[in-house]
């Protein structure tokens, strides 16, 4: 079973990278290019705006990843553990289920010069009379893209941190630090953050790789002339002149090298941070800066709440809008689009549903089989390197999508496999599987094996014990893992675009293409449908858990499974 999972990962990534590197050095027989050369690199560097695109990529990608990590640390210092943080924790699942594209479209409608915030201000004060000529979205410096990426990735890092916090004994460490006169900030930075970051390192690197290479968000919120490097490479891959695919492949390879360089640089900076931490510990200085940090954290939390809540509300308003002239705060409501929705959304909705459910179910089955294989090896006292498996699982998340999807697409065309729906499911599975494993592995590994031994004693059958006891007690994490996998599939843009080759249109690809158009009503309806599907998935998972545990009060509480 691990071999099958590795095949799901490594074949698309390995074949895709090779299929991108060969055209990057001039070898592309389908276009009559059969001689290795560095001419594609010359063409790439001569392309207008490449150097500025690299700068924008570093600013928006690396800057947003560092800001997201800082926001995660700030919220932990200020609010963990507390009643407010428990409320934040309960909101993380619906926030994480919001697709990147839908969030960016909603945020654009909120903060654009003609957006809802300016309309509310204009309605209250009478100024401005017309939309101001401000650059609050798709600005040429990439700041709006940096803002969107920060708000979207901070909840993911916070979610990954929550899985590790129980092992760090936070309450006891805070109590001990306070008894010695240290403030919360210094306790977190010197005692709690270092071991927590060692567990967050891989998710953080995955965020860095994603932010440097994201395309759908950059198309909606990023600069356009020039765009970020990933969007520029995507343009080259889609140029009507097929020979521009060679510089495009060189650009995709350059983006991969840039990502590796950034991650290696970040890794090399860690000893400096470690030395600063040791210096801070040895200094013995006690500073009480918690109030200022709490204020900044509350401000960041308020901005995030306004962004997520406002983006959802404005999407609903635009999907129900008839006429909406500036500066009116509310539109003339109309159900015209939703009356036509079954006809307009039908095929994209069905393809998104079928692909997402298929990828999520297959990933769930593979992950459960892999985790059961771990249990079997543990019973046989066979040594198993979980850290190596974790690195392999993160591989599709650390390699920029555009760096291998082009090569994978070319290989599929060569094998005449590009037109099949199951290949689209496979391409989504490459990205669904890591998140499925990361979501389920913690609760599954924490399951108390004494229940299994008791079941085996009573039934004598491994299958009956697994279905009757283990599956029943792990119903909650399995249900939420299935919903998470479905949400990840719904959000996939580049895999659908490249592997589908224009044959498959999901809600995500349609929403991204409509975001740059002039019809805000249609774009809002597609974004709302894209955002609604994962939320429905999580709601169904919660209902299924409630129904399954309706007669088991002890299992209705979170965390009862792992004790």
């Amino acid at each position: 079973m691990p071999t099958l999972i590795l095949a799901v990962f490594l074949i698309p990534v390995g074949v895709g990278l090779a299929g991108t590197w060969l055209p990057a050095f001039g070898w592309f027989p389908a276009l009559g290019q059969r001689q290795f050369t560095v001419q594609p690199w010359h063409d790439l560097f001569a392309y207008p705006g490449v150097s500025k695109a690299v700068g924008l990529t570093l600013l928006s990608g690396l800057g947003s990843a560092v800001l997201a990590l800082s926001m995660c640390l700030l919220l932990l210092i200020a609010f963990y553990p507390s009643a407010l943080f428990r409320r934040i924790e309960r909101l993380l699942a619906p926030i994480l289920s919001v697709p990147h594209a839908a969030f960016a479209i909603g945020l654009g409608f909120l903060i654009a010069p003609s957006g809802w915030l300016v309309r509310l201000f204009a309605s209250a004060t009478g100024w401005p009379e017309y939309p101001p000529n401000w650059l609050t979205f798709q600005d040429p410096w990439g700041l709006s893209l940096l803002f969107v990426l920060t708000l979207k990735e901070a909840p993911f890092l916070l979610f990954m941190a929550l899985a590790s916090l129980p092992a760090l004994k936070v309450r006891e460490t805070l109590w001990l630090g306070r008894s010695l006169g240290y403030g919360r900030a210094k306790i977190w930075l010197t005692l709690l953050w270092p071991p927590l970051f060692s567990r967050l390192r891989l998710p953080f690197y995955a965020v860095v790789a994603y932010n440097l290479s994201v395309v759908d968000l950059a198309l909606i919120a990023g600069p356009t002339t020039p765009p970020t490097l990933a969007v520029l490479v995507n343009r080259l891959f889609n140029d009507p002149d097929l020979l521009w695919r060679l510089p495009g492949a060189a650009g995709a390879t350059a983006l991969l090298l840039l990502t590796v360089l950034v991650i290696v640089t970040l890794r090399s900076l860690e000893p400096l941070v470690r030395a600063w931490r040791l210096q801070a510990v040895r200094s013995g200085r006690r500073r009480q800066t918690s109030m200022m940090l709490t204020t900044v954290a509350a401000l960041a939390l308020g901005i995030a709440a306004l962004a997520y809540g406002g983006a959802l509300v404005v999407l609903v308003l635009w999907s129900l809008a008839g006429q909406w002239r500036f500066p009116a705060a509310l539109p003339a409501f109309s159900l015209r689009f939703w009356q036509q929705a079954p006809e307009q959304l039908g095929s994209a909705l069905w393809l998104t549903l079928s692909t997402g459910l298929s990828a999520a179910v297959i990933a769930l089955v593979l992950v459960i089989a892999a985790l059961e294989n771990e249990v079997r090896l543990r019973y046989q006292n066979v040594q198993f390197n979980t850290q190596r498996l974790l690195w392999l699982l993160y591989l599709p998340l650390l390699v920029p999508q555009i760096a291998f999807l082009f090569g994978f697409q070319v290989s599929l065309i060569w094998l005449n496999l590009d037109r099949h729906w199951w290949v689209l499911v496979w391409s989504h599975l490459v990205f669904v599987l890591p998140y499925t494993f990361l979501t389920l592995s913690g609760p599954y590994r924490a399951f108390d094996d004494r229940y299994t031994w008791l079941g085996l004693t009573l039934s004598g059958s491994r299958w009956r014990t697994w279905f009757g006891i283990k599956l029943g007690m792990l119903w909650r994490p399995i249900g939420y893992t299935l919903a998470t996998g479905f949400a990840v599939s719904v959000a996939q843009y580049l895999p659908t675009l490249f592997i589908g080759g224009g044959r498959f249109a999901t809600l995500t690809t349609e929403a991204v293409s409509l975001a740059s158009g002039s019809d805000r009503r249609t774009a809002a309806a597609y974004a709302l449908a894209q955002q609604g599907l994962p939320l429905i998935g999580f709601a169904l998972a919660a209902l299924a858990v409630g129904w399954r545990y309706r007669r088991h009060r002890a299992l209705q509480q979170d965390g009862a499974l792992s004790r």
Side-chain angles (χ1 to χ4, degrees), residues 12 405 408 422-432 492 495-496 499-500:
L405 282 175
F408 189 43
W422 64 267
V423 179
L424 179 67
V425 176
W426 185 15
S427 67
H428 282 214
L429 191 60
V430 172
F431 304 99
V432 171
Q492 295 304 313
T496 309
I499 306 305

Side-chain angles (χ1 to χ4, degrees), residues 430-450:
V430 172
F431 304 99
V432 171
L433 227 159
Y435 288 103
T436 301
F437 189 90
L438 294 172
T439 307
L440 187 60
S441 59
Y444 208 94
R445 285 169 174 163
F447 181 79
D448 192 339
D449 285 337
R450 287 176 294 182

Side-chain angles (χ1 to χ4, degrees), residues 103-109 111-113 134-140 144-145 147-148 217 220-223:
F103 176 64
I105 293 171
L107 196 64
F109 292 169
I111 67 174
W134 297 340
L135 290 173
T136 55
F137 207 65
Q138 288 190 318
D139 60 281
S144 57
L145 178 60
F147 181 61
V148 174
L217 268 184
I220 298 169

Side-chain angles (χ1 to χ4, degrees), residues 126-252:
W127 182 88
E129 189 176 353
Y130 302 102
N133 189 23
W134 297 340
L135 290 173
T136 55
F137 207 65
Q138 288 190 318
D139 60 281
W141 311 283
L143 298 179
S144 57
L145 178 60
L146 181 146
F147 181 61
V148 174
L149 284 169
T150 302
L151 290 180
K152 200 67 192 80
E153 296 306 325
F156 170 69
L157 292 174
L158 200 59
F159 178 76
M160 298 307 296
L162 285 174
S164 303
L165 285 175
L168 299 182
K169 297 182 179 179
V170 177
R171 289 178 187 275
E172 292 84 349
T173 307
L174 286 173
W175 178 83
L176 181 63
R178 283 200 203 99
S179 68
L180 295 173
Y182 291 102
R184 286 178 62 91
K186 187 156 187 177
I187 299 171
W188 269 98
L189 289 173
T190 56
L191 298 178
L192 292 169
W193 182 248
L196 179 61
F197 181 73
S198 67
R199 298 163 187 250
L200 274 181
R201 184 179 290 114
L202 274 177
F204 175 60
Y205 289 167
V207 167
V208 171
Y210 175 81
N211 289 3
L212 287 172
S213 60
V214 65
V215 172
D216 52 348
L217 268 184
L219 284 171
I220 298 169
T224 54
T225 313
T228 59
L229 184 59
V231 175
L232 191 145
V233 170
N234 190 47
R235 282 182 189 173
L236 293 176
F237 280 146
N238 290 286
D239 196 282
D241 185 350
L242 297 179
L243 289 176
W244 276 107
R245 279 152 180 74
L246 278 73

Side-chain angles (χ1 to χ4, degrees), residues 352-431:
T352 307
L353 266 174
S354 57
T355 306
L357 283 175
S358 303
V361 170
I362 294 170
L364 183 65
V365 171
L366 290 174
V367 167
I368 289 177
L371 291 170
E372 276 300 312
N373 187 56
E374 279 188 29
V375 175
R376 182 181 64 83
L377 294 176
R378 192 169 67 243
Y379 287 167
Q380 296 174 357
N381 291 323
V382 176
Q383 295 296 324
F384 184 74
N385 191 337
T386 55
Q387 194 63 28
R388 186 181 301 171
L389 175 64
L390 205 59
W391 272 98
L392 286 173
L393 282 168
Y394 268 100
L395 187 61
L397 307 183
L398 294 173
V399 178
Q401 292 185 357
I402 205 165
F404 70 90
L405 282 175
F406 170 72
F408 189 43
Q409 178 197 35
V410 172
S411 306
L412 291 173
I413 293 173
W414 183 63
L415 295 169
N416 202 23
L417 293 175
D418 59 309
R419 65 196 64 181
H420 300 289
W421 171 75
W422 64 267
V423 179
L424 179 67
V425 176
W426 185 15
S427 67
H428 282 214
L429 191 60
V430 172
F431 304 99

Side-chain angles (χ1 to χ4, degrees), residues 241-281:
D241 185 350
L242 297 179
L243 289 176
W244 276 107
R245 279 152 180 74
L246 278 73
T253 307
L255 186 58
L256 173 64
L257 294 174
L258 181 68
T259 304
V260 172
L261 179 65
V262 168
I263 291 177
V264 169
T265 304
L266 288 172
R267 188 79 171 98
S268 64
L269 289 176
E270 288 185 22
L272 297 177
V273 178
R274 198 176 304 123
W276 170 84
R277 179 177 64 86
L278 288 174
Q279 178 67 25
V281 170

